[in-house]
mmCIF file with all atom_site columns, all heavy atoms in Angstrom:
data_model
loop_
_atom_site.group_PDB
_atom_site.id
_atom_site.type_symbol
_atom_site.label_atom_id
_atom_site.label_alt_id
_atom_site.label_comp_id
_atom_site.label_asym_id
_atom_site.label_entity_id
_atom_site.label_seq_id
_atom_site.pdbx_PDB_ins_code
_atom_site.Cartn_x
_atom_site.Cartn_y
_atom_site.Cartn_z
_atom_site.occupancy
_atom_site.B_iso_or_equiv
_atom_site.pdbx_formal_charge
_atom_site.auth_seq_id
_atom_site.auth_comp_id
_atom_site.auth_asym_id
_atom_site.auth_atom_id
_atom_site.pdbx_PDB_model_num
ATOM 1  N N   . ALA A 1 235 ? -9.122  121.632 160.917 1.00 97.00 ? 235 ALA A N   1
ATOM 2  C CA  . ALA A 1 235 ? -8.081  122.662 160.575 1.00 97.00 ? 235 ALA A CA  1
ATOM 3  C C   . ALA A 1 235 ? -8.398  123.994 161.181 1.00 97.00 ? 235 ALA A C   1
ATOM 4  O O   . ALA A 1 235 ? -7.492  124.648 161.758 1.00 97.00 ? 235 ALA A O   1
ATOM 5  C CB  . ALA A 1 235 ? -7.951  122.689 159.070 1.00 97.00 ? 235 ALA A CB  1
ATOM 6  N N   . ALA A 1 236 ? -9.692  124.410 161.126 1.00 97.00 ? 236 ALA A N   1
ATOM 7  C CA  . ALA A 1 236 ? -10.082 125.689 161.641 1.00 97.00 ? 236 ALA A CA  1
ATOM 8  C C   . ALA A 1 236 ? -9.826  125.743 163.150 1.00 97.00 ? 236 ALA A C   1
ATOM 9  O O   . ALA A 1 236 ? -9.268  126.746 163.700 1.00 97.00 ? 236 ALA A O   1
ATOM 10 C CB  . ALA A 1 236 ? -11.538 125.994 161.323 1.00 97.00 ? 236 ALA A CB  1
ATOM 11 N N   . GLN A 1 237 ? -10.208 124.653 163.816 1.00 97.00 ? 237 GLN A N   1
ATOM 12 C CA  . GLN A 1 237 ? -9.997  124.608 165.281 1.00 97.00 ? 237 GLN A CA  1
ATOM 13 C C   . GLN A 1 237 ? -8.473  124.648 165.588 1.00 97.00 ? 237 GLN A C   1
ATOM 14 O O   . GLN A 1 237 ? -8.080  125.252 166.587 1.00 97.00 ? 237 GLN A O   1
ATOM 15 C CB  . GLN A 1 237 ? -10.680 123.359 165.842 1.00 97.00 ? 237 GLN A CB  1
ATOM 16 C CG  . GLN A 1 237 ? -12.177 123.506 165.946 1.00 97.00 ? 237 GLN A CG  1
ATOM 17 C CD  . GLN A 1 237 ? -12.839 122.194 166.330 1.00 97.00 ? 237 GLN A CD  1
ATOM 18 O OE1 . GLN A 1 237 ? -12.532 121.141 165.814 1.00 97.00 ? 237 GLN A OE1 1
ATOM 19 N NE2 . GLN A 1 237 ? -13.809 122.306 167.245 1.00 97.00 ? 237 GLN A NE2 1
ATOM 20 N N   . GLU A 1 238 ? -7.716  123.900 164.873 1.00 97.00 ? 238 GLU A N   1
ATOM 21 C CA  . GLU A 1 238 ? -6.255  123.888 165.132 1.00 97.00 ? 238 GLU A CA  1
ATOM 22 C C   . GLU A 1 238 ? -5.623  125.283 165.035 1.00 97.00 ? 238 GLU A C   1
ATOM 23 O O   . GLU A 1 238 ? -4.834  125.651 165.859 1.00 97.00 ? 238 GLU A O   1
ATOM 24 C CB  . GLU A 1 238 ? -5.563  122.860 164.219 1.00 97.00 ? 238 GLU A CB  1
ATOM 25 C CG  . GLU A 1 238 ? -4.152  122.508 164.718 1.00 97.00 ? 238 GLU A CG  1
ATOM 26 C CD  . GLU A 1 238 ? -3.532  121.436 163.762 1.00 97.00 ? 238 GLU A CD  1
ATOM 27 O OE1 . GLU A 1 238 ? -4.281  120.611 163.115 1.00 97.00 ? 238 GLU A OE1 1
ATOM 28 O OE2 . GLU A 1 238 ? -2.269  121.472 163.674 1.00 97.00 ? 238 GLU A OE2 1
ATOM 29 N N   . VAL A 1 239 ? -6.024  125.998 163.984 1.00 98.00 ? 239 VAL A N   1
ATOM 30 C CA  . VAL A 1 239 ? -5.466  127.341 163.769 1.00 98.00 ? 239 VAL A CA  1
ATOM 31 C C   . VAL A 1 239 ? -5.925  128.257 164.908 1.00 98.00 ? 239 VAL A C   1
ATOM 32 O O   . VAL A 1 239 ? -5.077  128.999 165.448 1.00 98.00 ? 239 VAL A O   1
ATOM 33 C CB  . VAL A 1 239 ? -5.924  127.908 162.402 1.00 98.00 ? 239 VAL A CB  1
ATOM 34 C CG1 . VAL A 1 239 ? -5.661  129.411 162.363 1.00 98.00 ? 239 VAL A CG1 1
ATOM 35 C CG2 . VAL A 1 239 ? -5.241  127.273 161.275 1.00 98.00 ? 239 VAL A CG2 1
ATOM 36 N N   . MET A 1 240 ? -7.178  128.122 165.325 1.00 97.00 ? 240 MET A N   1
ATOM 37 C CA  . MET A 1 240 ? -7.686  128.917 166.444 1.00 97.00 ? 240 MET A CA  1
ATOM 38 C C   . MET A 1 240 ? -6.881  128.628 167.754 1.00 97.00 ? 240 MET A C   1
ATOM 39 O O   . MET A 1 240 ? -6.420  129.568 168.440 1.00 97.00 ? 240 MET A O   1
ATOM 40 C CB  . MET A 1 240 ? -9.167  128.731 166.681 1.00 97.00 ? 240 MET A CB  1
ATOM 41 C CG  . MET A 1 240 ? -10.022 129.330 165.574 1.00 97.00 ? 240 MET A CG  1
ATOM 42 S SD  . MET A 1 240 ? -11.743 128.935 165.782 1.00 97.00 ? 240 MET A SD  1
ATOM 43 C CE  . MET A 1 240 ? -12.231 129.894 167.219 1.00 97.00 ? 240 MET A CE  1
#
Side-chain angles (χ1 to χ4, degrees):
Q237 285 171 315
E238 195 178 332
V239 166
M240 286 173 73

